Amino acid sequence: MNSIQDKRARILAAGTEVMLRKGYNGTGVQEITQGAGVPKGSFYHYFESKEDFAIQALHYYYTPRLERFANALAASDVSPRERILRCYRDLVGYFANQEQPTHQCFIGSLCHEKADESQPIGYAASAILKRSSDLLADCLEQAKAAGELPAQSDSQALAGFIGAAWEGALLRMKIDRQIGPLRVFIEQLERLLSH
């Protein structure tokens, strides 16, 4: 990685971490550059604005997560239905192992603050959520083909519903400060995907 890419990556990593903790409005450019160990002027060399940074940070944060999700849903060691359930069980396990389950859903937090005001942020978040939903819908189609779901199931609609339910469960976990909402999500997902 050359020094330009390295500096940009450091700014993205530091700034994303701050925005996850403090939100868009609570994060200043100076705090981002201090965390990255670069001069404040460097920020505007790589990003047109704080809004541009937030859009690039969304992609920086979610690209590896979408790749892991895609790989998990493509695993060939278990059936399509089990791949989906294993993905979400693993996520619940991750949060269950935290001393106090907390989660900042970057898309959720950013959209809550800025989606009404910033069309570009809304579009970027929507594209990420659509990609996640499409990956899930593909696996649901495979589950249909394998006879694990009814043939008349609408995979796109079901994927959208599961994604929205997961986002809601994460929000409730954050509010309630306990893992219960995620356990309810898994129980209901198992019922929803039973044939």
Side-chain angles (χ1 to χ4, degrees):
M1 186 181 294
N2 66 39
S3 64
I4 291 173
Q5 290 174 321
D6 181 50
K7 193 179 284 187
R8 181 181 172 280
R10 282 196 344 249
I11 295 169
L12 275 169
T16 301
E17 188 62 36
V18 175
M19 275 193 184
L20 276 166
R21 280 193 332 269
K22 296 185 158 191
Y24 182 92
N25 293 326
T27 300
V29 170
Q30 186 161 346
E31 191 173 9
I32 292 170
T33 54
Q34 281 178 342
V38 299
K40 188 175 180 180
S42 294
F43 181 89
Y44 294 103
H45 179 74
Y46 299 103
F47 309 99
E48 292 176 17
S49 62
K50 188 173 154 186
E51 178 186 61
D52 177 47
F53 172 82
I55 291 164
Q56 292 190 47
L58 278 171
H59 292 293
Y60 169 83
Y61 187 77
Y62 282 103
T63 297
R65 284 160 176 76
L66 286 171
E67 286 173 10
R68 285 195 299 272
F69 191 51
N71 290 337
L73 292 177
S76 59
D77 60 329
V78 293
S79 73
R81 177 186 179 274
E82 276 306 309
R83 284 181 233 152
I84 294 166
L85 291 172
R86 182 167 62 184
C87 276
Y88 285 105
R89 285 179 187 135
D90 288 349
L91 287 168
V92 172
Y94 166 78
F95 291 112
N97 287 327
Q98 292 182 346
E99 191 173 310
Q100 182 175 4
T102 58
H103 178 67
Q104 291 293 95
C105 175
F106 195 27
I107 281 184
S109 297
L110 197 55
C111 287
H112 178 72
E113 286 186 90
K114 298 303 289 180
D116 286 345
E117 300 171 28
S118 169
Q119 244 185 356
I121 288 175
Y123 287 149
S126 181
I128 290 165
L129 292 172
K130 183 178 183 331
R131 176 72 180 129
S132 176
S133 189
D134 288 346
L135 290 168
L136 186 53
D138 287 347
C139 196
L140 289 165
E141 276 296 309
Q142 294 171 32
K144 263 177 34 176
E148 295 182 310
L149 290 174
Q152 70 274 17
S153 297
D154 181 337
S155 297
Q156 284 291 339
L158 187 54
F161 176 79
I162 292 168
W166 176 248
E167 289 294 320
L170 288 174
L171 178 61
R172 282 301 305 267
M173 178 188 71
K174 182 179 175 184
I175 292 166
D176 298 348
R177 295 183 180 270
Q178 49 96 7
I179 203 76
L182 299 190
R183 292 203 170 106
V184 170
F185 169 87
I186 287 293
E187 289 166 10
Q188 296 307 311
L189 184 63
E190 287 170 350
R191 287 192 183 99
L192 185 64
L193 298 183
S194 65
H195 182 47

